[in-house]
Amino acid sequence: SYLGGFSFEIFAHHTTFWGYDVCLLGKFNQVNVEAVESGVGEECHLEPKKKNTTIEVLVRRSKDEFLKIILKNHRVIGAVIVGKDMEDAETFENLILNGTDVSGIDLLNPQLDLADYFD
């Protein structure tokens, strides 16, 4: 998109709220979070309007962090990252920009070092 003389490849916003870092990337609000309120590490498969389109919402929650990843056809299109550790924010931004197919990768695994995995 183009705004005020600047060209942006994806929406990205970083702020601090109640002492936690908050990072919003891409199309982070495309799916209502109420659909995934069932617990930690849950996946939600939704019926998209267009046929042959798969939308997934991956959520990981703990006392100190929240991670929501929006996938469309096995590619990351958006993410919400809340917590003290923002290491994965740049990796998710690159996954969105590159359109990398993340099929079969457990993006919610806190033991997986995403930056090393996608280098």
Side-chain angles (χ1 to χ4, degrees), residues 35-102:
V36 294
E37 283 297 315
S38 55
V40 176
E42 294 294 324
E43 294 185 22
C44 177
H45 299 278
L46 304 170
E47 288 291 326
K49 291 181 181 177
K50 295 180 182 177
K51 298 294 182 198
N52 300 323
T53 298
T54 302
I55 302 291
E56 296 175 89
V57 178
L58 309 177
V59 176
R60 180 177 73 214
R61 289 182 281 207
S62 72
K63 179 183 168 196
D64 297 324
E65 73 172 355
F66 175 83
L67 174 63
K68 174 182 163 187
I69 307 164
I70 308 293
L71 302 174
K72 181 177 180 182
N73 295 332
H74 310 290
R75 287 165 172 69
V76 179
I77 63 167
V80 175
I81 306 167
V82 179
K84 303 270 184 199
D85 187 3
M86 289 287 120
E87 283 183 17
D88 292 337
E90 185 177 355
T91 302
F92 280 113
E93 183 177 7
N94 289 331
L95 289 173
I96 293 167
L97 290 171
N98 296 334
T100 304
D101 188 330
V102 294

Side-chain angles (χ1 to χ4, degrees), residues 2 6 10-11 13-14 52 58 62 68 70 78 83 90 98 101 104 107-108 114 119:
Y2 187 80
F6 294 99
I10 66 167
F11 174 83
H13 181 72
H14 182 261
N52 300 323
L58 309 177
S62 72
K68 174 182 163 187
I70 308 293
E90 185 177 355
N98 296 334
D101 188 330
L107 296 173
L108 296 179
L114 289 174
D119 273 347

